Amino acid sequence: MQHLTSYIMGKWVQGNGKERAIYHALTNQALYAVTTEGLPLSDSLAYGREVGGEALSAMSFQQRGQMLKAVAKYLLEHKAELYAISAQTGATKADSWVDIEGGIGTLFAYSGLASRELPDDTIWPEGDTVPLSKQGQFIGHHILTSRRGVALHINAFNFPCWGMLEKLAPTWLAGMPAIIKPATASAQVTQAMVKLMVDSGLVPAGAIQLICGGVGDMFDHLDFEDVVTFTGSASTGQKLKSHPRIIEKSVPFTMEADSLNCAILGNDVQPEQPEFALFIKEVTGEMTAKAGQKCTAIRRIIVPKNQLDNVKQALLKRLSATTVGDPAVDGVRMGALINLEQRQDVQTKVDYLRNNGCEVLCGGQFEQLAVIGADSQNGAFYPPTLLYCAEPFKSSAVHETEAFGPVATLMSYESLEQAVQLAILGGGSLAGTLVTADAQVAQSVIRASARAHGRMLVLNEASSAESTGHGSPLPLLVHGGPGRAGGGEELGGLRAVKHYMQRTAIQGSPSMLTAISQQWIRGAEMVTDVVHPFRKHFEDLVIGDTLLTARRTVTEADIANFACLSGDNFYVHVDKIGAAQSLFGERIAHGYFVVSAAAGLFVDAGVGPVIANYGMENLRFIEPVKIGDTIQVRLTCKKKIKKPQKLAEDKPNGVVEWDVQVFNQDDTAVALYSILTLVERRHGDFH
């Protein structure tokens, strides 16, 4: 039996004390011994803050995003090693794919978010500025800065790779180091992935540490800039969340707990409809994927009373075809639970449900299970188990007790209102699914039950071909849920990054806030130069570089010609009588003509460093432009983002966002917006 080492303070170290064993899920062979006793765990917090935090917080969001991408590529190149170790947990190849490559995909997703949406800086200005005075020289703005603490991630056994990476991606992007505490039962898989990251040399020292075993007294040494994220049982999460140090220091604590998720079959669906087959497939897939060991798995199957028998027979038929055994054997569809301890826990919960209002329709006893290519008694195998609760409004156990395995309970409703009530009786869920072909059913159920769920899938024939399914959290959508599910949020795109950052409201003049945020704010000082901004390379542009253009008077011919060219013959532009009766009282120029004319005023036509204009944002038409009005444009460099050069032959460039203000002859703004341009850099990344 090997000793599973931890990685703290830049070294792989072994504890010295009472050990816990990790077992092979298929054979019950003891594989690894785990302990953290005798290790300086509290010192690892200080090391993470001082070494990892120093390095990550000094990197820009763009650099952190590039690091995530590089790590993801490296892990993909070495994924075969991870699959081999993952097999020890009883997972099928498909189960391991979700865990390993699904987790790596999360790194790629957050790298892309950084590239597209985050500044090339260590400070993240959030949202718009807020005017606080009449003259505009006292404003407010929110900024996000990196906490100089450590994110302690306590993960569950069911997803040893994805569970780590879905927390690690936003943590690193936020500029925070992490200490990973995987569940002991599958810690060897997490350790293998962390070792790959460390060996890659792509991650700064101190950015990641790993604790294989208990957390010791670490909670006693947490400070206000640290963050704790937890995935696991609700009871353990509540215990940790109420730790005196968490309360004393107001340490942010995000919890994602297992929940009694549901799937609802709409009362419009008949057995001959494609939605009926989709429902059966979704439920059985969720019951058997990862042998039901998913925090998002469907535990309660809610169906119309008049379809109860049809659903029951269809589920039993499909579940009976599920082959259980060693995933390495061809034809095996479901593997084992993580270990015998977990199997006994599932059996205990099933027995409790059986004694509290539920009837076993199939499965329910591991002793009677026949498996393929393995020993059913030594391996942690449990049969797909379908229960039936005849009186779900009277049985509280079915809404409170979760058997964390291939187990779900069937129950019926007489009205959609009852279906919603049953869904909410779960006390807060990570995910729910509604299968319906009727938009009115979808509207009724989702609007009434969304408050009790973190995520809801509406599944019909149209979405089925591309749906990722009930149990698949996605990087761009929130993963979490209210009540029993923990009340926390993970993922959700950039929302998750903000969990690891400090939001601060800053107040001052536009120039001061521009200097702090490194994003030009209207009203701040500007930089004028005889050289047109479009003649400058990326490196030569400075925040606040501005151009005040020549003027142009808008004529009737301009409006007529634009209407002819664009085909936009809206009456306020071309109908003199209709326009006179409108809000404006007379004909006005097309808004898009104003934008086009503005471009004609500020663009430098010659060949130069500007490669392309590829976007416009936040366009607002403030005042109408009438025949005879004279417009003028102020173009100002708002922010810059250096883009990495992927190949030596690529032209190095960066993104420049320009603030555009179009004024009339009275110095009144008529249009405000931003444009994005690709601007050539003088120097590439390859020398």
Side-chain angles (χ1 to χ4, degrees), residues 371-422:
V371 302
I372 300 173
D375 185 332
S376 64
Q377 298 309 303
N378 287 329
F381 298 100
Y382 198 87
T385 298
L386 181 65
L387 306 176
Y388 168 60
C389 181
E391 296 184 296
F393 286 103
K394 293 183 179 179
S395 173
S396 60
V398 75
H399 305 296
E400 297 172 356
T401 304
E402 180 181 28
F404 201 70
V407 182
T409 304
L410 181 63
M411 61 193 74
S412 66
Y413 67 87
E414 294 185 355
S415 66
L416 286 180
E417 290 76 16
Q418 283 192 347
V420 169
Q421 290 170 20
L422 289 172

Side-chain angles (χ1 to χ4, degrees), residues 78 103 109 143 209 212 272 296 354 356 438 441 537 563 584 605 671:
H78 295 81
I143 61 170
Q209 299 180 78
C212 294
E272 62 272 14
T296 55
R354 178 192 288 123
N356 287 271
D438 189 322
V441 171
H537 285 80
F584 307 106

Side-chain angles (χ1 to χ4, degrees), residues 91-388:
T92 66
K93 184 69 178 291
D95 296 336
S96 295
W97 183 90
V98 172
D99 185 37
I100 296 168
E101 298 190 50
I104 295 171
T106 301
L107 293 181
F108 279 120
Y110 273 89
S111 172
L113 282 172
S115 176
R116 295 189 302 270
E117 301 187 39
L118 292 181
D120 191 14
D121 199 352
T122 59
I123 289 180
W124 179 2
E126 182 185 37
D128 296 327
T129 58
V130 179
L132 301 175
S133 66
K134 291 183 178 180
Q135 301 302 317
Q137 284 302 302
F138 184 59
I139 61 173
H141 204 182
H142 290 98
I143 61 170
L144 294 160
T145 54
S146 299
R147 294 175 177 271
R148 296 304 294 273
V150 171
L152 176 58
H153 295 165
I154 303 173
N155 296 326
F157 70 80
N158 52 344
F159 287 98
C161 294
W162 179 87
M164 170 178 65
L165 297 179
E166 61 109 8
K167 297 181 178 71
L168 196 54
T171 300
W172 276 350
L173 199 50
M176 253 191 128
I179 297 177
I180 312 299
K181 194 284 178 204
T184 298
S186 58
Q188 74 272 30
V189 190
T190 306
Q191 193 223 42
M193 182 171 270
V194 171
K195 190 173 188 306
L196 286 173
M197 292 188 215
V198 173
D199 292 347
S200 74
L202 298 168
V203 180
I208 187 168
Q209 299 180 78
L210 174 72
I211 295 172
C212 294
V215 296
D217 64 347
M218 290 184 71
F219 269 65
D220 296 331
H221 300 277
L222 293 172
D223 212 339
F224 77 99
E225 289 197 274
D226 297 323
V227 175
V228 177
T229 60
F230 169 84
T231 300
S233 72
S235 58
T236 302
Q238 292 295 344
K239 181 179 178 181
L240 294 175
K241 193 174 184 178
S242 60
H243 190 283
R245 188 73 171 182
I246 296 289
I247 298 170
E248 176 192 352
K249 293 293 184 177
S250 299
V251 177
F253 190 105
T254 296
M255 185 168 90
E256 186 257 280
D258 306 330
S259 59
L260 288 148
N261 312 292
C262 69
I264 302 171
L265 181 65
N267 58 6
D268 62 295
V269 178
Q270 301 299 314
E272 62 272 14
Q273 291 179 263
E275 281 75 15
F276 187 89
L278 287 172
F279 182 80
I280 301 302
K281 180 181 179 182
E282 196 70 26
V283 170
T284 54
E286 284 295 310
M287 288 179 65
T288 56
K290 294 281 292 183
Q293 299 172 118
K294 295 168 59 180
C295 56
T296 55
I298 293 168
R299 303 298 180 195
R300 297 174 303 139
I301 310 163
I302 303 171
V303 304
K305 190 172 184 178
N306 62 1
Q307 295 298 338
L308 180 61
D309 287 340
N310 290 325
V311 171
K312 179 168 62 175
Q313 295 307 317
L315 288 174
L316 289 173
K317 180 180 179 181
R318 194 172 181 100
L319 289 172
S320 67
T322 302
T323 48
V324 181
D326 183 349
V329 177
D330 287 343
V332 170
R333 298 287 301 277
M334 191 179 89
L337 299 176
I338 190 70
N339 54 33
L340 296 184
E341 180 183 356
Q342 182 63 23
R343 182 176 72 176
Q344 186 54 53
D345 182 72
V346 171
Q347 186 64 64
T348 300
K349 299 293 177 56
V350 169
D351 291 343
Y352 179 79
L353 288 167
R354 178 192 288 123
N355 295 325
N356 287 271
C358 294
E359 171 191 350
V360 177
L361 300 180
C362 73
Q365 290 289 337
F366 67 82
E367 294 91 347
Q368 303 169 4
L369 178 64
V371 302
I372 300 173
D375 185 332
S376 64
Q377 298 309 303
N378 287 329
F381 298 100
Y382 198 87
T385 298
L386 181 65
L387 306 176
Y388 168 60

